Amino acid sequence: MWKDWIRPFVRPLPQWSTVAVAPPQQVVTATLRWDGHSADVTADHTVASLVPLVIATSLDAGPRPVLEYRNNTTGTLLGVLHLAQMASVASETTAITLYHVAAGGHRCLGWPLRSWNAWLQNRLMRKNRAPHHFAPEPAAVQQLMIAYLCPRPVVLVSVDAPGHQNIFPMDLIGPLERSGLFSLALRSTSASVSVMREVRRVALSGIPAPMKAVVYKLAEHHKHPLQDWNALPFPARPSREFGIPAVAAALRIQELSIVHSQDVGSHTLFLGRIVSDEKLAEGTQLHHTAGFHQAYRRRHGIPLAEV
Ligand SMILES: Cc1cc2nc3c(=O)[nH]c(=O)nc-3n(C[C@H](O)[C@H](O)[C@H](O)COP(=O)(O)O)c2cc1C
């Protein structure tokens, strides 16, 4: 149909695609390169803040490394982020390095569609930008989409303290493998930040892909704590050591003991250690990836299953 042909020229691709992927994702590999060195950081880098856009890793890769994302099967380069070292975060005996994203680009779409799609997306972002509302610059969102070339798993984070209970979705999370730490980047305005800093423990429920709608609904709890665990729209089960209510249908429940937290731009970066890890079910987990990544995969006949 001529409409299918004309669509990419008048309408931008969606920024994000919600997909069902068996964890841990193995469709895209991330490699850090610096001064003749390279290291696989697929399970050792995470987003620490959105404004400014900051990446955390347990490697010290010098002042100006490059982060490459490649299709794991073919080795094709999909996108690149150019990083600039900001600071080290010392926690217990390990250190994490923070990198500001200085520039980036992707190759998921051919030229001129790549530039045209970015222009259409940026125009839409500027149009929908509410005044006084936190929002990264369109250029930073383009770079964030590159960081999502590695599909990011969605979990529900449960917090339980006297007088405060909450459960909300997060995807700015992940292991920083070499350090043994696990990170969460939570907007500093979120309702549970101060309680998490105090109680220093959370439970993470790995979300089966079919639970997308109910999980998105729980995003309201970034602003408003949960009134009552009994009001949850699904059955809960206590996490193993801490007894924090978590999702009974979760693929996996991990308990995190928080060892460090600090402000990084718009977000609070929590670093923790996994104290228990219950693998409860096989199946696909809800993930987010960039819309242009899914368009690339569709063009090559290898789309991820959308939910
Ligand atoms: C699936 C999903 C994952 C999210 N992950 C994070 C996260 O990792 N960190 C965070 O600070 N907020 C996260 N959010 C929250 C949203 O970015 C946003 O802050 C929240 O929905 C409140 O929106 P508003 O303040 O823009 O109205 C997530 C939301 C959803 C639906």
Side-chain angles (χ1 to χ4, degrees):
M1 275 265 287
W2 69 271
K3 275 187 185 163
D4 293 336
W5 182 85
I6 205 89
R7 189 172 291 125
F9 295 97
V10 291
R11 231 189 267 163
L13 288 169
Q15 290 177 7
W16 314 110
S17 184
T18 46
V19 290
V21 178
Q25 75 78 24
Q26 290 175 331
V27 293
V28 173
T29 304
T31 307
L32 205 51
R33 295 193 190 280
W34 74 103
D35 300 335
H37 303 277
S38 76
D40 186 329
V41 290
T42 311
D44 201 344
H45 81 291
T46 186
V47 174
S49 153
L50 294 185
V51 183
L53 182 56
V54 176
I55 302 280
T57 171
S58 21
L59 284 171
D60 181 348
R64 292 207 159 259
V66 170
L67 184 53
E68 289 181 356
Y69 295 96
R70 288 179 186 272
N71 178 323
N72 197 18
T73 319
T74 59
T76 310
L77 185 63
L78 299 174
V80 170
L81 292 176
H82 295 269
L83 307 181
Q85 196 171 91
M86 292 170 65
S88 283
V89 177
S91 145
E92 302 169 322
T93 50
T94 43
I96 299 300
T97 315
L98 299 181
Y99 284 98
H100 171 62
V101 177
H106 74 86
R107 297 187 183 177
C108 292
L109 305 173
W111 191 86
L113 192 55
R114 184 165 55 219
S115 310
W116 179 237
N117 179 64
W119 187 84
L120 288 173
Q121 285 182 327
N122 294 353
R123 187 181 64 160
L124 198 61
M125 279 186 245
R126 286 201 190 90
K127 208 170 117 195
N128 294 340
R129 218 167 174 195
H132 314 303
H133 191 266
F134 148 97
E137 288 296 321
V141 178
Q142 294 289 343
Q143 293 161 352
L144 181 65
M145 287 185 243
I146 294 166
Y148 273 79
L149 283 170
C150 270
R152 307 208 70 91
V154 175
V155 298
L156 279 174
V157 177
S158 311
V159 185
D160 195 29
H164 180 101
Q165 59 252 314
N166 210 355
I167 185 162
F168 48 86
M170 286 191 77
D171 68 351
L172 300 178
I173 60 155
L176 298 172
E177 201 173 43
R178 290 171 182 82
S179 65
L181 294 168
F182 192 99
S183 72
L184 309 174
L186 186 55
R187 244 171 91 179
S188 299
T189 51
S190 288
S192 295
V193 166
S194 56
V195 177
M196 283 165 63
R197 285 191 142 161
E198 216 170 285
V199 296
R200 295 175 156 252
R201 45 173 63 176
V202 290
L204 313 179
S205 303
I207 296 305
M211 285 182 72
K212 175 186 166 181
V214 73
V215 163
Y216 268 63
K217 181 85 181 58
L218 293 177
E220 68 196 39
H221 294 303
H222 275 274
K223 285 186 182 158
H224 310 288
L226 183 74
Q227 291 307 312
D228 183 353
W229 285 118
N230 294 321
L232 282 181
F234 45 72
R237 62 179 274 162
S239 66
R240 195 165 71 197
E241 307 282 331
F242 300 152
I244 301 174
V247 180
L251 300 174
R252 183 178 189 179
I253 298 176
Q254 293 168 297
E255 293 179 309
L256 200 64
S257 164
I258 294 165
V259 295
H260 182 82
S261 62
Q262 75 174 68
D263 293 339
V264 181
S266 52
H267 284 57
T268 301
L269 179 66
F270 292 95
L271 298 173
R273 293 208 180 268
I274 303 286
V275 295
S276 79
D277 190 351
E278 291 177 272
K279 291 185 179 133
L280 301 171
E282 297 288 326
T284 56
Q285 187 167 348
L286 186 63
H287 281 68
H288 289 146
T289 193
F292 51 64
H293 179 215
Q294 178 70 334
Y296 167 88
R297 298 188 68 89
R298 207 176 283 127
R299 207 169 69 248
H300 287 82
I302 46 167
L304 298 168
E306 290 206 30
V307 278

